[in-house]
Amino acid sequence: MLCDASDLLVYECDGYVVEKNVPDLVLLPTTRDQVVAIVKTCNEFDVPFVPRGAGTSLSGGCLPVGGGVMIALTRMKQILEVNLRDRYAVVEPGLVNVHLTQRLKGTGYHYAPDPSSQGACTIGGNVATNSGGPHTLKYGVTVNHVLGVEVVLPDGSIVEFGGPTSQAAGYDLTGLFVGSEGTFGICTRVTVRLTRNPAAYRTLLGIFETVDAATQAISAIIGAGIIPAALEMMDQGIIEAVEAAFHFGFPLDAGAVLLIEVDGLEVAVDEEAEKIVRLCEASGAREVRRATSDKERMLLWKCRKQAFGAIGRLSPSYCTQDGVVPRTRLPEILAFIIACGTRHGIRIVNVFHAGDGNIHPILLFDERDSDQVARVLAASDEILTKCIELGGSVTGEHGIGVEKISFMDKLFTPDDLAVMESVRAVFNPTGRLSPQKMLPTAGGCGTETIERSGPGRRAAL
Ligand SMILES: Cc1cc2nc3c(=O)[nH]c(=O)nc-3n(C[C@H](O)[C@H](O)[C@H](O)COP(=O)(O)OP(=O)(O)OC[C@H]3O[C@@H](n4cnc5c(N)ncnc54)[C@H](O)[C@@H]3O)c2cc1C
């Protein structure tokens, strides 16, 4: 149990650093029964509570709005079972994503969802946010790899949805729970699907003069009927930070690079890689390099997955936005983002899962300067509104959290929201679990709005 002000400060925000509020108490259970006891006690004393994994959420999903108890699940991190014959594993929610694949090394299997934060984020957090990652393009998001969950409901009762047999009869409650952002219950055990490692990979780096040419190549590749395992873009700003951090040899004068991976049978991957090289060249690529060894491939992926960390070289704070547009509208949204940054005097760099049309503009600022914070929020708002206008959405994978609640009534009708609210009420009727997340009407204790209370603080707003 953590209750000293200096300990609690660590939990005042997640990866969405713009809004902060310290919890009154942080509890770190090690068993499901402890989670049950905490939840029951919170109910007894009418205190709000919020689950937390590694706190890498980029939408404020773990923000303890109104204070209350934070239940940090990072000490529940056991791998309980690995069953290769039936291709599943059972894990506790606090297990760090990459630790499962590391444990499977040498078996010929891996856990496919690979968010770029996979070295830190937990499988429970991935379940709650239905995380994607670079390999989502071919392998799908978390919901496609979760066979079942054990959940402590907000009243302290325990339920199980799904299980190792993927085709359970009745409603797909596992599917409903995945992506509920901690508002339906606290997940205490997850049964995940294991995926056979591909026989072969080819990893390419396409180098382009402009972002526009790179996005044309993306459309050309997908339009040709090729679904790479991953198709990621980094623009010039990110290339600069990543090169300074990892010295891969990225060309610093390139407008954008595409990291493209194809996988499958040895006989097929060369032909597919060749086609991609030709399509990139036809779209104006200056050069297309191939990773010549496993070491080089791993370094390329390290550069991509640790790109966010490298941004510390560019600015003291950053806000990663998450939107989606139809792939063909990528050039338009990227041009808009550049213009928006110029208009608001905010530097914006881009690294994203381009194959899915999932953009991640990263707005660089200093959170100590309230004017910069206001401009970052205004620019974010305009970018997300533009995503909606272009036929997309305000989140591809990071979720709504507290950050994007105000967009929900732009995306959905009052009737849609009322249906969502009634589904939430089935699981979480008192609203004590994760109040004021996801839905505009989701106050604590019925529909009342909880005031943010001390000992919280907000960033320099
Ligand atoms: C550098 C960086 C890169 C990222 N890249 C990606 C990416 O490629 N793809 C992607 O999808 N996301 C990405 N993210 C966002 C984030 O990592 C994911 O949303 C991740 O799933 C969050 O996991 P976590 O353990 O940190 O959860 P937290 O941030 O602790 O929590 C996230 C949400 O899940 C809830 N929650 C946590 N544990 C439980 C539980 N056991 N039961 C119920 N609810 C729970 C919390 O209440 C909160 O609403 C990135 C973040 C960073 C900082």
Side-chain angles (χ1 to χ4, degrees):
M1 177 167 84
L2 304 176
C3 48
D4 283 353
S6 55
D7 289 337
L8 294 176
L9 203 59
V10 175
Y11 296 87
E12 68 175 358
C13 68
D14 50 31
Y16 179 61
V17 297
V18 174
E19 210 166 329
K20 296 178 174 160
N21 196 51
V22 285
D24 295 301
L25 204 63
V26 175
L27 296 169
L28 296 122
T30 52
T31 65
R32 177 194 68 188
D33 291 348
Q34 288 179 354
V35 175
V36 170
I38 295 166
V39 167
K40 287 190 170 163
T41 309
C42 287
N43 280 311
E44 194 182 332
F45 291 93
D46 191 15
V47 172
F49 50 101
V50 61
R52 179 182 160 122
T56 64
S57 160
L58 290 166
S59 61
C62 310
L63 189 79
V65 182
V69 170
M70 179 173 278
I71 307 175
L73 293 135
T74 42
R75 292 193 185 174
M76 291 178 65
K77 55 181 180 187
Q78 304 296 318
I79 297 174
L80 302 170
E81 185 186 350
V82 172
N83 185 328
L84 294 178
R85 286 176 67 110
D86 288 329
R87 297 191 179 189
Y88 71 84
V90 183
V91 305
E92 289 187 323
L95 180 73
V96 170
N97 173 304
V98 81
H99 291 176
L100 181 55
T101 290
Q102 282 168 355
R103 161 79 178 271
L104 293 165
K105 202 169 174 194
T107 64
Y109 289 87
H110 68 288
Y111 177 55
D114 64 337
S116 303
S117 52
Q118 70 179 151
C121 67
T122 65
I123 292 198
N126 300 165
V127 167
T129 52
N130 192 16
S131 278
H135 288 84
T136 287
L137 184 58
K138 181 165 175 181
Y139 291 95
V141 286
T142 297
V143 74
N144 305 117
H145 300 270
V146 173
L147 299 171
V149 281
E150 175 191 81
V151 176
V152 174
L153 290 175
D155 65 359
S157 55
I158 301 162
V159 290
E160 280 192 41
F161 303 138
T165 319
S166 53
Q167 293 305 329
Y171 293 113
D172 178 11
L173 296 177
T174 312
L176 186 61
F177 185 83
V178 176
S180 58
E181 296 193 28
T183 64
F184 286 0
I186 300 177
C187 163
T188 46
R189 204 155 27 121
V190 193
T191 305
V192 296
R193 187 192 303 283
L194 301 181
T195 302
R196 192 97 181 101
N197 294 348
Y201 305 95
R202 295 293 180 269
T203 308
L204 308 169
L205 183 72
I207 299 167
F208 296 82
E209 301 294 347
T210 61
V211 166
D212 202 43
T215 50
Q216 300 301 344
I218 295 163
S219 291
I221 293 166
I222 306 284
I226 302 171
I227 302 292
L231 180 42
E232 302 279 306
M233 184 196 277
M234 296 195 275
D235 76 1
Q236 211 261 333
I238 285 285
I239 297 170
E240 186 191 311
V242 162
E243 184 57 23
F246 303 112
H247 316 292
F248 178 80
F250 287 107
L252 293 175
D253 60 341
V257 296
L258 290 182
L259 175 54
I260 310 162
E261 186 158 279
V262 288
D263 67 14
L265 296 175
E266 190 67 54
V267 286
V269 284
D270 275 329
E271 192 186 331
E272 207 159 59
E274 247 343 289
K275 273 191 201 156
I276 291 174
V277 172
R278 283 199 298 276
L279 290 165
C280 285
E281 286 169 352
S283 305
R286 183 208 293 179
E287 185 189 350
V288 184
R289 296 185 194 165
R290 291 154 205 260
T292 50
S293 64
D294 214 37
K295 194 170 159 209
E296 203 179 346
R297 170 178 178 257
M298 294 312 284
L299 181 59
L300 259 177
W301 277 115
K302 182 174 172 185
C303 293
R304 163 60 187 95
K305 293 201 173 176
Q306 297 192 6
F308 290 88
I311 288 164
R313 290 166 185 269
L314 302 181
S315 75
S317 322
Y318 66 85
C319 173
T320 307
Q321 269 311 337
D322 169 40
V324 193
V325 293
R327 252 184 315 258
T328 49
R329 313 301 291 269
L330 278 173
E332 230 170 305
I333 191 71
L334 287 165
F336 183 86
I337 291 167
I338 293 165
C340 187
T342 310
R343 209 166 43 248
H344 289 281
I346 295 288
R347 185 170 178 205
I348 305 181
V349 295
N350 292 281
V351 49
F352 53 95
H353 312 309
D356 305 320
N358 183 190
I359 54 156
H360 289 323
I362 302 171
L363 296 88
L364 309 178
F365 68 109
D366 183 340
E367 67 172 12
R368 292 163 297 190
D369 177 344
S370 56
D371 180 53
Q372 284 190 41
V373 176
R375 282 184 279 130
V376 162
L377 292 175
S380 299
D381 199 282
E382 284 176 23
I383 291 168
L384 295 173
T385 303
K386 186 71 182 174
C387 287
I388 299 176
E389 265 175 49
L390 293 177
S393 165
V394 298
T395 174
E397 54 183 23
H398 297 166
I400 298 297
V402 291
E403 183 200 6
K404 291 179 181 164
I405 287 185
S406 62
F407 284 95
M408 290 298 271
D409 55 11
K410 294 184 183 161
L411 280 172
F412 298 103
T413 66
D415 286 348
D416 294 334
L417 291 171
V419 170
M420 290 188 214
E421 181 62 43
S422 61
V423 175
R424 177 186 174 121
V426 170
F427 290 89
N428 187 8
T430 65
R432 251 177 233 122
L433 170 65
S434 303
Q436 290 194 44
K437 299 282 163 56
M438 236 179 153
L439 299 178
T441 49
C445 309
T447 54
E448 281 173 34
T449 299
I450 289 186
E451 291 297 324
R452 292 193 165 86
S453 63
R457 75 181 174 94
R458 295 186 64 157
L461 273 170

